[in-house]
Amino acid sequence: MVRGLLKQLTFRSLSVAGKWQQQQLRRLNIHEYQGAELMSKYGVNVPKGVAAGSVDEVKKAIQDVFPKESELVVKSQVLAGGRGLGTFKNGLKGGVHIVPTNQAEDIAGKMLGQILVTKQTGPQGKIVSKVYLCQKLSLVNEMYFSIILDRKSAGPLIIACAKGGTSIEDLAEKFPDQIIKVPIDVFTGITDEDAAKVVDGLAPKGADRNSSIDQVKKLYKLFSETDCTLLEINPLAETADNQLVAADAKLNFDDNAAYRQKEIFALRDPSQEDPREVAAAKADLNYIGLDGEIGCMVNGAGLAMATMDIIKLHGGTPANFLDVGGNASENQVVEAFKILTSDEKVKAILVNIFGGIMKCDVIASGIVNAAKQVKLEVPVVVRLEGTNVDQGKTILKESGMALITAEDLDDAADKAVKALTK
Amino acid sequence: MATGQLFSRTTQALFYNYKQLPIQRMLDFDFLCGRETPSVAGIINPGSEGFQKLFFGQEEIAIPVHSSIEASCATHPTADVFINFASYRSAAASSMAALKQPTIRVVAIIAEGVPESDTKQLIAYARANNKVVIGPATVGGIQAGAFKIGDTAGTIDNIIHCKLYRPGSVGFVSKSGGMSNELYNTVARVTDGLFEGIAIGGDVFPGSTLSDHVLRFNNIPQVKLIVVLGELGGRDEYSLVEALKQGKVTKPVVAWVSGTCARLFKSEVQFGHAGAKSGGEMESAQAKNQALRDAGAVVPTSYEALEIAIKETFEKLVEEGKIAPVKEFKPPQIPEDLNSAIKSGKVRAPTHIISTISDDRGEEPCYAGVPMSSIVEQGYGVGDVISLLWFKRSLPSYCTKFIEICIMLCADHGPCVSGAHNSIVTARAGKDLVSCLVAGLLTIGPRFGGAVDDAARYFKDAYDRNLTPYEFVESMKKKGIRVPGIGHRIKRGDNRDKRVELLQAFARTHFPSVKYMEYAVQVETYTLSKANNLVLNVDGAIGTLFLDLLAGSGMFTKPEIDEIVEIGYLNGLFVLARSIGLIGHTFDQKRLKQPLYRHPWEDVLYTK
């Protein structure tokens, strides 16, 4: 039970705080080309583009879709930002190139199947399985548009700015008086007045007002019908022919809605995810891979966080966030041990369990059985607290396993950090 | 929100989606606190109605089950808390339905994974209508000594350990249910205990927030000290900072925000949240801890130091004389569940049933110790199974063969005998198989089918008392009893019953001794001298041969034989055998689609 309750908690806080993870997790992230297809399905204007998974497909796309274009944008599709400034492991610089159409095949060939490293992928990089070919637009005006779920108004909030192209933080700093916020009633949805207010805030230079209002309403429809948590169009651009175009978009979806957004969640690309996390998700464990050396296994997201704090306080670095939940089965504990021990960076494991709903003796036998099944080559420190703690500790001591028991959380962190140097 | 106490010792809840364990934990908590009424008034289980039996202390109580939220609220107008254990798919809809009930004041949503846009609607509705939503994705909350939501605070052992059965002076709020358990322990160690604890749940948009509950705690006179456990991410703690700065919280607040190690990880994050980057620093644990400290909260330097901070703040309140001593009491013992008590070897209970013939507990059922696989693999027959289940031993094959012959011979005797007739009439009345079968079986008794049993009894008695056939028959005649097993409607001395001949031939070939049967033959010789139709019939043959089987096989002691005859084994043989025929007649009638039977008037003598 508690496991279920806590599952999302830390992911959420992590995602929002956003500082300590290498990539966004659990929140579904889709590729640029998938986002463009989705938007165009909802009638939102997007630049003309085609995704291609092989050089042959690139060739065909150029013939079929871009026979007259002289220049094309070739974008490698990875689920990480900073693509333009990234470097491929094969030496190619830049994950996004604007090239004459006759060179598009060549550059796409150098991207496909290669590993792109950006400041967001971490040193291991991410594989490029598809490139996205787009027409090169000449933009005459760039604006900002986003929809979020807002705490204060208890509903969706549209944020718009007549300036765009740089981050909302920059915009907020440079043009605070040009940013408008339009709360949308969660029960009635967007009205014509709401949409008109947004368009007036965007103040497009040449685009037709009514068709702009229509575009805003279509974006909101997309947001609400697909259970988005964030829809950010930056820039929302005007082309030379006075068209409003979503030139670049960021779409985040509510994982909680996966059950009713089957089509959207089918777009998930596991090749872009940390394999440790894919394994953890399979075992229904709450896991986030980090870069440290002390593997953590904790029940309850809150306790997991406290555990990581304490490790750091003692001079160690956590290798992961792992919440096995309040009602973990022995099998889940075994899977958790497998994930921790398969991580080369892990030099010690700290198990911190509070037996509130489960009893410590049950947990202890689970740990012992799990440890027997998995070959443990690093020291394991166990701290147990809660119901039947003494029986639990006795089971650990009498197991004959090389488990280090700790008195409290402080002691456990201390022992785990010391175990690193041994 | 704000305002004060959400719960009291009389608070009752409606529980949506029946879950035995959390409800039992609530009731156990109630009993521990000495509540007079159980805290669960009703259960809502869509699609079912009736009662659920649960324990309230030592007694069993029946909690009404309703199929709709509206019906349960109408039946239990004083129940103002709605505990929603629905899945994340349906939690939003049922919570909204509950919020719309005028009697419901607080809705606790346990499900984790409720879509955010749905939660937004719940929050908007609750705000507009002055109701409280706890959760989603929460274990709930507890008011010590008064009311507990679902699984909050875990096992009874933990609740006793944390003294949650009586109120203390601490108001506690956190996001996480797991950390609540940790903190309840801590609070119990270093203060006079918890007054109320709420876990608001882990969602991005909780139905009620940390600051909502802190402000509420501030209005509860019994709460002297407020403990808050925050987390990195989100801005909720800043609402608390604002409230502190504005002097809205007058009681001491001890706070800690977890997630300080977040800064350790330098890698940039791909996250397009419109406010995330600028908010990133603000939403860090360090920044929040500092802001809370600056606003006047007691904020320790680490999570481990939180316990000391609570302790010191509490002791200061004690020194200032602001804490009234808590009335301690020893909570009653919660009776242990029988199953777990037996499992742990703590109790023994007498059984109410004893069985010696079969055992279904192992890998496969056993008949008198013989596993089913041996019975099948070694080619046992029905006779062997009867010998195992009736006599609790494996009889020699001639015995089991004899039993089978008896069953075959007695299986049916045409449609006109009373048993078959009754079955046929019942079948034609459109009744089910079992009714037809028992209608037929009910005729078996002293006049129909009872002769086998009686023959065995009387012949055994006569033979064992060394009566001559003459003495036996005449003594029976004096008593006015016809000798059972003698006489036939059609058969005569010169036209013996074929069935009797078959049985006698089999027994003479296979039985070591046929003394009872030979005695019966002598009796028959005597009776035939009186009348030509007084032949040994099939009942007499089976009855006496069975005596020979029991006595001659050497498998039974004398008292065993007496008992077998006494308690009606032979009747059992007839009942078993004739059931085959009765079932056959029933199916026959049904197959023939025979209409209701009505006896013709012409066949009845109507007279005065």
Side-chain angles (χ1 to χ4, degrees):
Chain A
M1 181 84 246
V2 169
R3 141 154 199 71
L5 306 178
L6 298 175
K7 197 167 143 194
Q8 219 79 14
L9 176 148
T10 310
F11 288 98
R12 289 304 159 73
S13 26
L14 290 180
S15 306
V16 176
K19 285 239 156 185
W20 60 344
Q21 57 181 68
Q22 295 176 342
Q23 66 187 61
Q24 195 182 324
L25 291 155
R26 290 279 169 115
R27 287 268 181 192
L28 173 66
N29 213 346
I30 61 174
H31 286 293
E32 181 187 8
Y33 75 92
Q34 295 168 325
E37 280 169 14
L38 188 64
M39 286 194 287
S40 123
K41 207 177 114 190
Y42 275 84
V44 176
N45 300 334
V46 291
K48 193 156 66 168
V50 182
S54 68
V55 176
D56 284 345
E57 282 178 31
V58 173
K59 191 188 259 174
K60 190 167 180 304
I62 292 171
Q63 282 167 5
D64 295 352
V65 187
F66 303 112
K68 287 178 189 157
E69 299 287 334
S70 59
E71 271 188 321
L72 282 179
V73 190
V74 183
K75 296 172 159 185
S76 41
Q77 298 293 291
V78 289
L79 291 181
R83 287 177 301 174
L85 297 173
T87 306
F88 283 91
K89 285 199 173 167
N90 65 4
L92 178 68
K93 292 238 187 301
V96 177
H97 288 255
I98 300 172
V99 292
T101 305
N102 59 11
Q103 289 174 27
E105 257 181 76
D106 179 51
I107 195 86
K110 285 178 184 159
M111 291 176 175
L112 284 164
Q114 300 298 320
I115 307 289
L116 179 64
V117 180
T118 80
K119 58 182 177 175
Q120 286 186 1
T121 61
Q124 73 277 12
K126 284 189 190 296
I127 188 158
V128 176
S129 324
K130 276 201 160 67
V131 293
Y132 189 42
L133 308 173
C134 293
Q135 69 179 133
K136 189 172 165 272
L137 294 174
S138 57
L139 306 177
V140 295
N141 182 23
E142 296 191 358
M143 296 157 288
Y144 175 90
F145 175 93
S146 70
I147 313 178
I148 60 166
L149 279 174
D150 180 45
R151 201 176 291 267
K152 216 176 256 172
S153 62
L157 181 74
I158 297 182
I159 301 171
C161 180
K163 299 277 191 311
T166 59
S167 77
I168 183 67
E169 293 78 21
D170 291 344
L171 296 172
E173 208 168 287
K174 286 183 200 150
F175 314 103
D177 47 343
Q178 295 196 40
I179 293 177
I180 65 147
K181 292 178 179 178
V182 181
I184 308 297
D185 187 292
V186 68
F187 294 109
T188 53
I190 195 164
T191 61
D192 286 343
E193 291 76 45
D194 293 333
K197 230 186 271 175
V198 172
V199 171
D200 292 344
L202 289 169
K205 292 195 165 75
D208 176 64
R209 188 162 184 270
N210 284 336
S211 66
S212 300
I213 287 174
D214 185 52
Q215 284 288 301
V216 167
K217 284 169 77 175
K218 280 174 173 158
L219 284 164
Y220 182 82
K221 189 169 173 349
L222 165 65
F223 177 88
S224 63
E225 285 184 8
T226 59
D227 274 304
C228 277
T229 52
L230 167 78
L231 182 158
E232 187 180 46
I233 313 289
N234 190 18
L236 177 64
E238 276 182 274
T239 55
D241 53 352
N242 289 335
Q243 281 290 318
L244 213 56
V245 175
D248 199 355
K250 197 152 279 179
L251 291 162
N252 285 348
F253 300 93
D254 182 359
D255 269 358
N256 287 356
Y259 71 93
R260 63 184 183 196
Q261 298 289 354
K262 297 251 155 49
E263 258 178 61
I264 302 280
F265 279 78
L267 301 175
R268 171 160 285 179
D269 180 357
S271 76
Q272 300 286 313
E273 291 170 18
D274 184 331
R276 295 176 299 178
E277 282 156 13
V278 175
K282 263 190 201 148
D284 206 16
L285 294 165
N286 221 345
Y287 178 93
I288 299 173
L290 300 166
D291 302 327
E293 53 214 355
I294 298 179
C296 306
M297 176 171 7
V298 189
N299 69 335
L303 191 57
M305 230 179 290
T307 306
M308 295 163 77
D309 286 353
I310 293 274
I311 289 174
K312 193 205 156 199
L313 206 67
H314 281 268
T317 50
N320 64 281
F321 168 96
L322 194 158
D323 166 19
V324 294
N327 263 342
S329 68
E330 191 173 309
N331 187 42
Q332 280 179 306
V333 176
V334 173
E335 286 305 312
F337 265 118
K338 276 187 193 159
I339 291 164
L340 293 184
T341 50
S342 65
D343 189 340
E344 284 173 11
K345 282 184 227 141
V346 169
K347 299 286 182 281
I349 292 173
L350 170 52
V351 180
N352 182 15
I353 305 280
F354 181 87
I357 288 180
M358 282 180 81
K359 292 183 177 157
C360 286
D361 50 337
V362 178
I363 295 163
S365 354
I367 293 172
V368 170
N369 287 340
K372 276 179 188 160
Q373 287 186 46
V374 181
K375 211 171 145 206
L376 288 176
E377 285 169 346
V378 296
V380 177
V381 181
V382 183
R383 175 258 178 174
L384 284 179
E385 186 63 76
T387 314
N388 293 354
V389 61
D390 293 333
Q391 284 151 265
K393 283 182 180 166
T394 313
I395 291 170
L396 291 181
K397 265 179 205 143
E398 290 171 357
S399 68
M401 310 288 300
L403 301 170
I404 305 165
T405 52
E407 284 316 306
D408 55 32
L409 191 42
D410 222 23
D411 186 35
D414 187 49
K415 281 176 172 159
V417 172
K418 281 191 181 135
L420 286 177
T421 51
K422 274 175 196 164
Chain B
M1 274 229 6
T3 69
Q5 256 175 263
L6 287 181
F7 314 117
S8 73
R9 281 171 67 83
T10 52
T11 297
Q12 283 201 306
L14 296 171
F15 196 102
Y16 187 89
N17 218 9
Y18 178 65
K19 295 264 188 303
Q20 196 243 341
L21 218 53
I23 300 182
Q24 189 57 62
R25 285 188 174 130
M26 287 177 71
L27 298 178
D28 285 347
F29 173 78
D30 297 344
F31 181 71
L32 210 61
C33 302
R35 275 182 61 126
E36 280 166 13
T37 47
S39 58
V40 179
I43 295 162
I44 302 141
N45 229 10
S48 65
E49 283 183 354
F51 291 89
Q52 279 292 346
K53 286 203 305 174
L54 289 146
F55 283 105
F56 186 58
Q58 206 163 9
E59 282 171 23
E60 261 193 309
I61 54 169
I63 298 182
V65 179
H66 306 274
S67 63
S68 77
I69 293 169
E70 292 75 13
S72 68
C73 289
T75 316
H76 311 284
T78 53
D80 57 2
V81 179
F82 186 87
I83 300 174
N84 197 341
F85 265 75
S87 79
Y88 61 90
R89 291 181 188 82
S90 62
S94 45
S95 296
M96 185 56 97
L99 282 172
K100 288 184 174 164
Q101 300 303 310
T103 53
I104 296 296
R105 211 169 32 86
V106 180
V107 173
I109 306 166
I110 309 302
E112 170 253 330
V114 177
E116 286 169 9
S117 56
D118 294 358
T119 311
K120 280 283 167 213
Q121 301 197 356
L122 296 175
I123 296 171
Y125 188 88
R127 262 191 212 172
N129 293 278
N130 220 7
K131 304 205 174 192
V132 179
V133 175
I134 300 172
T138 180
V139 70
I142 182 168
Q143 186 183 321
F147 180 80
K148 173 173 109 85
I149 296 172
D151 287 318
T152 305
T155 58
I156 284 297
D157 294 343
N158 194 49
I159 287 167
I160 295 172
H161 187 68
C162 300
K163 294 194 168 180
L164 295 171
Y165 51 83
R166 53 94 179 129
S169 312
V170 178
F172 171 73
V173 60
S174 79
K175 281 202 148 191
S176 131
M179 284 308 274
S180 302
N181 273 348
E182 279 263 6
L183 260 292
Y184 294 161
N185 265 276
T186 306
V187 164
R189 265 200 302 274
V190 300
T191 73
D192 64 355
L194 189 82
F195 182 80
E196 189 190 319
I198 295 284
I200 61 166
D203 274 6
V204 180
F205 302 110
S208 51
T209 63
L210 296 176
S211 51
D212 284 340
H213 292 286
V214 169
L215 289 169
R216 197 168 56 74
F217 290 156
N218 198 58
N219 293 343
I220 302 176
Q222 300 95 313
V223 172
K224 309 291 183 197
L225 167 62
I226 299 168
V227 178
V228 181
L229 190 65
E231 268 170 22
L232 81 167
R235 300 263 181 128
D236 189 23
E237 286 82 356
Y238 288 102
S239 323
L240 179 57
V241 167
E242 281 311 302
L244 285 167
K245 278 186 184 162
Q246 292 165 14
K248 283 183 188 165
V249 183
T250 52
K251 294 172 182 175
V253 174
V254 181
W256 175 250
V257 179
S258 286
T260 49
C261 76
R263 278 199 188 161
L264 204 56
F265 304 97
K266 300 235 165 48
S267 24
E268 197 181 307
V269 175
Q270 174 190 350
F271 191 75
H273 198 294
K277 238 180 175 176
S278 60
E281 181 51 34
M282 281 269 287
E283 291 180 7
S284 76
Q286 279 88 344
K288 289 187 191 181
N289 276 324
Q290 192 54 47
L292 284 165
R293 199 175 284 129
D294 293 346
V298 181
V299 181
T301 50
S302 75
Y303 170 71
E304 279 290 293
L306 181 60
E307 178 164 345
I308 302 158
I310 298 171
K311 186 170 191 268
E312 287 174 357
T313 312
F314 180 77
E315 281 168 358
K316 214 171 124 205
L317 287 167
V318 173
E319 277 169 31
E320 290 166 5
K322 287 182 180 163
I323 305 273
V326 167
K327 229 191 264 165
E328 289 289 353
F329 79 102
K330 199 175 155 26
Q333 181 93 31
I334 299 279
E336 202 170 338
D337 282 333
L338 190 58
N339 286 345
S340 56
I342 290 174
K343 216 170 162 189
S344 64
K346 279 186 195 151
V347 298
R348 54 191 184 193
T351 53
H352 296 95
I353 285 181
I354 176 165
S355 171
T356 64
I357 59 166
S358 72
D359 190 338
D360 58 332
R361 291 169 303 174
E363 284 287 303
E364 51 179 332
C366 289
Y367 294 165
V370 180
M372 198 53 67
S373 50
S374 316
I375 290 170
V376 173
E377 282 160 14
Q378 293 174 22
Y380 281 32
V382 170
D384 297 287
V385 170
I386 291 172
S387 71
L388 289 172
L389 288 176
W390 291 17
F391 302 105
K392 295 174 33 181
R393 66 205 79 187
S394 280
L395 294 173
S397 65
Y398 75 85
C399 296
T400 59
K401 182 76 191 157
F402 176 76
I403 291 171
E404 287 173 10
I405 292 171
C406 291
I407 289 172
M408 291 188 280
L409 292 180
C410 298
D412 196 48
H413 205 209
C416 301
V417 296
S418 28
H421 180 77
N422 257 18
S423 285
I424 289 168
V425 171
T426 312
R428 290 179 58 169
K431 302 287 298 223
D432 59 293
L433 172 67
V434 176
S435 303
C436 300
L437 173 62
V438 297
L441 290 177
L442 286 172
T443 63
I444 297 174
R447 294 186 182 170
F448 173 61
V452 187
D453 219 29
D454 284 346
R457 274 186 203 134
Y458 284 112
F459 277 100
K460 181 169 182 296
D461 178 64
Y463 179 87
D464 291 354
R465 287 199 288 135
N466 288 319
L467 297 183
T468 64
Y470 168 81
E471 289 166 334
F472 172 46
V473 175
E474 293 308 321
S475 70
M476 292 291 279
K477 199 177 174 187
K478 258 184 215 161
K479 282 184 251 170
I481 305 171
R482 295 174 47 159
V483 179
I486 296 286
H488 201 277
R489 227 164 52 86
I490 301 154
K491 297 295 174 183
R492 296 283 182 271
D494 47 4
N495 175 21
R496 295 303 181 86
D497 187 334
K498 190 75 190 159
R499 298 180 294 176
V500 174
E501 288 179 342
L502 287 168
L503 284 168
Q504 286 175 330
F506 180 86
R508 288 206 172 100
T509 317
H510 299 288
F511 280 29
S513 150
V514 286
K515 57 184 187 184
Y516 286 104
M517 189 201 74
E518 295 300 1
Y519 178 68
V521 170
Q522 287 170 30
V523 173
E524 182 193 36
T525 311
Y526 175 71
T527 52
L528 278 175
S529 70
K530 303 182 95 178
N532 197 27
N533 70 336
L534 294 181
V535 289
L536 179 65
N537 60 28
V538 72
D539 300 333
I542 291 175
T544 52
L545 280 171
F546 218 94
L547 294 172
D548 285 322
L549 182 150
L550 294 170
S553 66
M555 304 286 290
F556 300 91
T557 63
K558 204 177 164 301
E560 277 176 343
I561 295 170
D562 291 344
E563 190 181 43
I564 286 167
V565 174
E566 181 56 37
I567 64 179
Y569 270 57
L570 284 150
N571 196 30
L573 203 60
F574 182 79
V575 169
L576 174 66
R578 190 50 58 91
S579 295
I580 298 171
L582 297 178
I583 291 171
H585 284 293
T586 304
F587 288 151
D588 192 36
Q589 296 303 312
K590 286 184 181 282
R591 209 170 39 230
L592 295 166
K593 303 203 170 37
Q594 286 298 289
L596 181 65
Y597 175 80
R598 194 173 190 287
H599 205 69
W601 279 317
E602 305 78 43
D603 194 40
V604 178
L605 170 63
Y606 293 94
T607 176
K608 286 189 180 166

